[in-house]
Amino acid sequence: MIEVQHLAKSYGPTVALRDVSFKVDKGEVVGFLGPNAAGKTTTMRILTCYLPADSGRVSVAGYDVFEHPLEVRKQLGYLPENTPLYLDMGVIEYLHFVAEIRHIPNGKRQARIKEIVGICGLQSVVHKDIGELSKGFRQRVGLAQALIHDPEILILDEPTIGLDPIQIIEIRELIKRIGKEKTVILSSHILPEVSATCDRVIIINEGEIVGTGTPEELATKSKGGETIYATIRGPIDVIRKRLDEESDIKDFVEVGQEQENGHQFKIQSDVGVDIREKLFFLVANNGWSLIELRRETMNLEDVFKRLTIKEQT
Ligand code: ATP
């Protein structure tokens, strides 16, 4: 649905994007995650034809962004970081205006506006001016303008920025609902946002993609292997020898002091090799006791830190 190849963009001496490539399939809800100045907004502006790139290719729904910008714009709805709303316009008046710009035929406009007011939960504010609305409701109006022409693809730049916690939850719920029917790219520097709303995450840092996958896949890839913590009660020299002989174990170390209830080991295996069952049988067959067996889990926050601040550590 969206294909980005080797995108590069500089603003004078500032390099915003170095070499960005990624794909988004139809129906996916993808989080575009990165710290400040990573290049998220620049990427979104290029995808939505608001900004030319220096080099690279972008295709949206089969159309090249640089060669067929009008076709691309028809296919997508865009919620920029700061939605430019006309504050002295009424909500309905504004939606009529957007519907006209989006070439929704006169006879269908009324019905479509009614529908979009329902989808975006704007019923209680339809008679108000946009300037009177809370930030959360303004963001809903922003989403309504992005959705009015029923695009296949939605591009949302930091959709919950500046909202209070209740509004954040409401907007996330709305995005999740919309995401059931549309392809969505949502930029954010907030990890829980991405975990809560997205199927897949693309992590960008300093103008480069540094990771992509589901939060779970990223955690596994980023670890470079599996880590198991096992506490075993038995003769320490024999335990060490047997662990050493086990071919699936890449490495192991003893953690902390020997305790009354056993020896704790940190055991490493390759990515995708889960040795918990083998460890269980090793302990059982040798007549030792297994006091604890725990797989190390990494959350998206650990992955994000590891991928975006590794150069400095
Ligand atoms: P944030 O989360 O802070 O909005 P971002 O990931 O969206 O950041 P961009 O806004 O794409 O990042 O900025 C990437 C880099 O390009 C930054 O160093 C920024 O200062 C620079 N930049 C962005 N827009 C311009 C501009 N119009 N002129 C000059 N430099 C710019």
Side-chain angles (χ1 to χ4, degrees):
M1 200 79 195
I2 296 172
E3 194 162 355
V4 175
Q5 290 171 312
H6 306 296
L7 207 56
K9 172 78 187 172
S10 294
Y11 300 96
T14 308
V15 180
L17 303 178
R18 284 168 207 284
D19 181 7
V20 167
S21 300
F22 63 87
K23 274 187 186 177
V24 177
D25 290 331
K26 190 174 163 64
E28 272 194 303
V29 179
V30 170
F32 203 55
L33 186 68
N36 287 134
K40 304 182 294 293
T41 297
T42 301
T43 307
M44 301 215 146
R45 286 197 180 138
I46 295 172
L47 289 185
T48 50
C49 316
Y50 279 84
L51 194 68
D54 296 340
S55 57
R57 287 179 59 82
V58 180
S59 90
V60 171
Y63 295 102
D64 187 287
V65 166
F66 309 115
E67 287 166 16
H68 303 286
L70 290 180
E71 279 307 325
V72 168
R73 284 187 190 200
K74 277 187 207 160
Q75 308 296 325
L76 50 83
Y78 178 35
L79 180 71
E81 195 169 357
N82 300 302
T83 322
L85 297 171
Y86 300 98
L87 300 185
D88 53 356
M89 258 189 174
V91 171
I92 290 293
E93 192 188 352
Y94 174 69
L95 292 178
H96 267 284
F97 166 68
V98 181
E100 196 179 331
I101 292 177
R102 286 296 192 175
H103 304 297
I104 296 171
N106 221 342
K108 293 189 178 163
R109 249 176 244 167
Q110 198 70 33
R112 180 59 186 156
I113 289 170
K114 194 169 175 226
E115 192 178 14
I116 214 71
V117 160
I119 292 171
C120 296
L122 287 168
Q123 296 92 333
S124 60
V125 298
V126 281
H127 300 300
K128 292 193 176 180
D129 281 351
I130 294 172
E132 295 173 66
L133 304 184
S134 66
K135 273 192 177 162
F137 273 106
R138 284 186 200 183
Q139 207 63 337
R140 284 169 186 261
V141 174
L143 277 169
Q145 68 74 27
L147 284 165
I148 195 109
H149 55 304
D150 199 19
E152 280 282 312
I153 303 164
L154 258 191
I155 300 202
L156 313 175
D157 197 355
E158 304 264 7
T160 61
I161 203 154
L163 302 186
D164 73 31
I166 304 282
Q167 293 168 335
I168 289 177
I169 292 168
E170 288 173 0
I171 294 292
R172 280 186 195 158
E173 287 303 318
L174 182 54
I175 294 170
K176 267 204 254 179
R177 271 206 307 279
I178 295 168
K180 289 196 175 128
E181 288 169 14
K182 310 268 175 208
T183 305
V184 180
I185 303 187
L186 167 163
S187 90
S188 181
H189 61 276
I190 307 164
L191 293 148
E193 176 131 308
V194 170
S195 304
T197 37
C198 301
D199 310 322
R200 190 160 66 86
V201 184
I202 295 171
I203 300 183
I204 183 168
N205 188 40
E206 296 180 355
E208 283 176 320
I209 305 294
V210 292
T212 173
T214 62
E216 298 73 30
E217 283 167 355
L218 279 167
T220 311
K221 274 189 224 160
S222 160
K223 278 190 296 186
E226 305 286 344
T227 301
I228 303 288
Y229 286 90
T231 304
I232 302 170
R233 191 155 59 205
I236 183 69
D237 291 340
V238 189
I239 297 174
R240 283 194 198 118
K241 189 163 180 292
R242 295 277 180 272
L243 291 177
D244 214 24
E245 287 164 359
E246 184 53 62
S247 59
D248 279 340
I249 293 178
K250 252 176 45 182
D251 195 18
F252 70 90
V253 286
E254 282 164 58
V255 188
Q257 297 288 314
E258 182 191 340
Q259 293 166 6
E260 204 182 301
N261 57 358
H263 312 272
Q264 194 186 29
F265 294 92
K266 181 180 178 185
I267 302 171
Q268 230 90 39
S269 61
D270 283 325
V271 174
V273 179
D274 186 353
I275 51 158
R276 283 175 295 181
E277 197 173 349
K278 271 200 170 157
L279 278 173
F280 170 80
F281 283 115
L282 184 74
V283 169
N285 293 341
N286 282 282
W288 309 326
S289 307
L290 188 59
I291 310 299
E292 184 201 19
L293 189 60
R294 169 167 66 85
R295 189 178 186 191
E296 186 183 63
T297 53
M298 234 181 168
N299 60 29
L300 195 55
E301 194 163 342
D302 299 326
V303 177
F304 185 62
K305 275 197 224 146
R306 198 173 274 203
L307 290 173
T308 58
I309 37 187
K310 68 178 174 209
E311 292 84 7
Q312 292 152 33
T313 54

